[in-house]
Structures are given as structure tokens and as C-alpha cells.
Amino acid sequence: MPEPSVMTAGPILCERLRIPPFDPVVLKPTQWATAQQKAKLGNAILRFIALGMPAEKFTPALYNRLSNMFGFIAHYNRTGFAQTWFDNAATRRDFLDQVARYPCWGDPTFVWSDVEKEIGQRVRENLLVEAWTTRAREVQVAREKAELARLQAKHGGTVTAADAPVPTVQLGLL
């Protein structure tokens, strides 16, 4: 379901997340990836997050790497991963929360823990989980207000919270 008009303001952008770019000199190569490859993909992940994680920019290369980082799983395919993590503000918040809280296990000469640590640190420093939490809340409120308007149009009336009867529970003897 498309998100209400609060998303027309655009995604949460964070260009400073990308500065400085990953430097291959400080990364450890693995048996399967050079330090240059780790830097290139690390920078691509930062760029993707900085752009607000648009699903249409979630490339096969990003899917192949991210499905093996931060404790994520591959899902069925790239589309399934994107639907799970980049479908709306709440799922984007959940994605960033997992990135920010992941403990980054392993020796960077065998896994990408050096890249994971740096990306997680930048997400935390830039308060992106908090920003997307606020956006998710705004979207939920907009969705609820739209539903309220729809129901009021259908059933009539303009009952507000102050006018609504307070439900009471009658306790009876059995």
C-alpha cells in the first residue's frame, strides 16, 4: 500500500553519511574480496542509505552483499529482500535499526566486519534510526487520519475524541 502524502516530502536524505568515503587502505582484504572491492561496495551501501534507501536503487550487487551482512538473510530473492526492508518508512527504520545494533562479529580478514562497524557507526552518529522512527510515526498518523476521514464520510458525523462516549465495563454477578 502506498504511504499517505507525508512521503511526498521525499525520503530522508543524509549526504554526510558518505563523508569520508571508505578508504581501501584501512580495510582488510579477505580471501574472497580485495580491500578495494570492500571499499567500493561499502561506499555503494552508504550512498544507498544516504539516498533514503529507494527500492529502485537496490541493485543486485547491493542485494548480494547486504544479504550477507548485519545478520540479514537473503529472503527468496532481491525483490523479497527489498519488500521486507525498503517498502515503507517503518521497514526502512527496522533495516537501519538492525544495521545500527548489529555487533559485527568476525575477523575482517574473513568477513566484512570492518565495513559493517563503520556503516553502523555512521548510522548511529547521524541519528538515522530516530529520524526514520519519526517519519514512520508521521506516516502512521497520516494513514489513521485518512482512515478516520473515510469512515466519517461513510458513516457521517464528526465525532472527536472529546465527544466520543467512554466505554464502560459492567461487572455483573455470576
Side-chain angles (χ1 to χ4, degrees):
M1 167 190 289
E3 294 179 338
S5 62
V6 74
M7 283 305 292
T8 60
I12 296 173
L13 305 177
C14 185
E15 188 60 31
R16 68 178 172 218
L17 187 73
R18 300 174 59 189
I19 301 168
F22 275 101
D23 183 354
V25 172
V26 299
L27 298 174
K28 304 281 186 207
T30 71
Q31 177 182 350
W32 305 275
T34 66
Q36 290 78 10
Q37 290 169 317
K38 287 172 95 172
K40 181 179 178 184
L41 220 46
N43 287 324
I45 293 167
L46 290 174
R47 181 173 46 254
F48 176 71
I49 295 171
L51 291 172
M53 299 159 285
E56 65 275 6
K57 302 261 187 208
F58 188 56
T59 65
L62 286 174
Y63 166 69
N64 289 335
R65 178 46 42 205
L66 281 171
S67 66
N68 289 292
M69 293 175 74
F70 302 106
F72 291 117
I73 59 171
H75 295 267
Y76 182 70
N77 56 27
R78 180 171 59 104
T79 301
F81 191 101
Q83 287 172 341
T84 299
W85 297 109
F86 312 122
D87 192 47
N88 58 56
T91 60
R92 286 179 177 95
R93 182 230 20 244
D94 294 344
F95 171 83
L96 290 170
D97 186 55
Q98 186 159 330
V99 167
R101 296 184 330 117
Y102 188 70
C104 308
W105 291 303
D107 184 330
T109 59
F110 293 98
V111 295
W112 287 51
S113 59
D114 48 355
V115 175
E116 290 172 321
K117 284 178 186 173
E118 182 62 26
I119 292 172
Q121 180 65 33
R122 292 184 192 197
V123 166
R124 288 188 299 277
E125 287 173 352
N126 287 283
L127 304 175
L128 287 175
V129 174
E130 293 81 356
W132 280 100
T133 297
T134 299
R135 177 61 57 85
R137 226 179 275 120
E138 292 167 351
V139 169
Q140 182 64 29
V141 167
R143 186 179 295 119
E144 289 171 357
K145 285 181 178 182
E147 179 67 4
L148 175 61
R150 186 189 71 76
L151 290 171
Q152 285 178 330
K154 179 179 178 180
H155 298 289
T158 57
V159 175
T160 65
D163 299 330
V166 177
T168 59
V169 176
Q170 297 290 328
L171 298 176
L173 297 173
L174 295 177

